[in-house]
Amino acid sequence: MKLYYAPNACSLSNRITLHEAALPFESERVDLHTGLTEAGDPFAAINPKGYVPMLVLDSGEAVTENIATLSLIADLAPHLLPEGPLGRVRMLEMLSYISSELHIAFKPFWHASTDDEKAQAAEKIGRLLDYVDARIEGDYLYGERFTPADAYLFVVLRWAKKFDLRIPDGLRAYFDRAGARYSVVLSLAEEGLA
Ligand SMILES: N[C@@H](CCC(=O)N[C@@H](CS)C(=O)NCC(=O)O)C(=O)O
C-alpha cells in the first residue's frame, strides 16, 4: 500500500493509523504548493482531486477522502474500531464530525482570510472541540482503544495548537497522551515534524 501525504496535513492521521494497524506501507510526499510529488511527478495526474490523503492499494486501486481511507485501514485492522455493535458507526460518526465540521472550520487559517473570518472560525472551532471534549470516554474517544478517529482528532488538535486556538483542558491532556504513543511519535518523525 502507498500513502500520498503532505507533512502536517490530514494525511498524517492515515500514517498514524497505518502504524497502529501494523500494516506495511510506503509513502510519497506531495508538495501542495508546487503540485509535484517527491519523485517530481504532477500529483494532479495521480489524483485529479489534487489533495491528500490518497491510498493506493497493492491491486493498484486508489482511495481518496479521509473518511474513506481511514475506514479502509480500519477494515483491514478491525481491532482499531471502537468496541460494541455500533463500533464502526461510531467511528464514522466521529470521522464525519471531524472532517465536515472541525477540519473545514480551519480553512481561514490555511488560506488568505480576514481577521474577522479568523476570529469567527476560532470561536466555532472552540465550540466544536468543547463537544468532543465532553464525550471523551477514557484515555481516548471511545475508552482505552486508540481508533482512527483519535488519529484524526490528534491531527486537528495539532492545528489548533499551531494557530494558538483555545483547546479545552480535557483535550489538552488527551493531546499529550496521544502524542506519547509510539505510532504518533514515529509518524511525526517520518514526516519531519518531531
Ligand atoms: N475532502 C478531503 C479534503 C482533504 C484535504 O483538505 N486535504 C488538504 C490537506 S489537510 C490538502 O491536500 N489541501 C491541498 C489542496 O486542497 O490543494 C478529505 O477529506 O480527504
Side-chain angles (χ1 to χ4, degrees):
M1 189 171 342
K2 179 169 181 175
L3 169 67
Y4 285 92
Y5 78 101
N8 206 26
C10 51
S11 46
L12 175 60
S13 60
N14 290 255
R15 182 183 294 278
I16 294 170
T17 305
L18 284 164
H19 282 313
E20 288 284 340
L23 289 170
F25 68 100
E26 55 179 312
S27 62
E28 184 165 354
R29 187 166 31 82
V30 178
D31 184 327
L32 295 173
H33 299 292
T34 63
L36 295 177
T37 70
E38 214 170 327
D41 300 316
F43 185 54
I46 299 167
N47 176 12
K49 289 175 174 171
Y51 51 66
V52 291
M54 180 163 93
L55 280 178
V56 181
L57 306 182
D58 295 343
S59 65
E61 276 183 283
V63 180
T64 57
E65 302 299 327
N66 222 11
I67 297 174
T69 55
L70 290 171
S71 299
L72 168 69
I73 301 168
D75 284 350
L76 297 172
H79 64 279
L80 298 182
L81 289 170
E83 287 174 79
L86 285 182
R88 193 166 197 285
V89 170
R90 291 296 174 218
M91 179 192 70
L92 287 173
E93 185 178 41
M94 186 54 77
L95 288 179
S96 303
Y97 182 78
I98 297 171
S99 174
S100 62
E101 303 293 334
L102 259 169
H103 178 157
I104 217 81
F106 280 85
K107 257 204 160 129
F109 294 100
W110 292 114
H111 303 287
S113 50
T114 64
D115 286 348
D116 199 37
E117 285 166 336
K118 283 186 187 162
Q120 280 181 34
E123 191 274 326
K124 180 169 186 182
I125 290 165
R127 256 188 301 119
L128 293 168
L129 289 178
D130 283 338
Y131 173 87
V132 178
D133 185 45
R135 272 149 194 84
I136 298 271
E137 287 177 7
D139 274 358
Y140 300 111
L141 282 166
Y142 299 103
E144 305 319 304
R145 187 173 290 189
F146 187 87
T147 69
D150 288 292
Y152 200 1
L153 178 59
F154 175 79
V155 170
V156 168
L157 289 173
R158 262 183 72 82
W159 298 344
K161 268 185 105 92
K162 172 182 168 65
F163 297 118
D164 206 17
L165 304 181
R166 180 180 71 79
I167 299 176
D169 288 344
L171 282 181
R172 283 189 182 276
Y174 167 97
F175 181 78
D176 292 341
R177 265 194 308 279
R181 290 184 75 83
Y182 178 69
S183 64
V184 175
V185 173
L186 179 62
S187 297
L188 292 176
E190 286 174 349
E191 296 203 0
L193 303 169

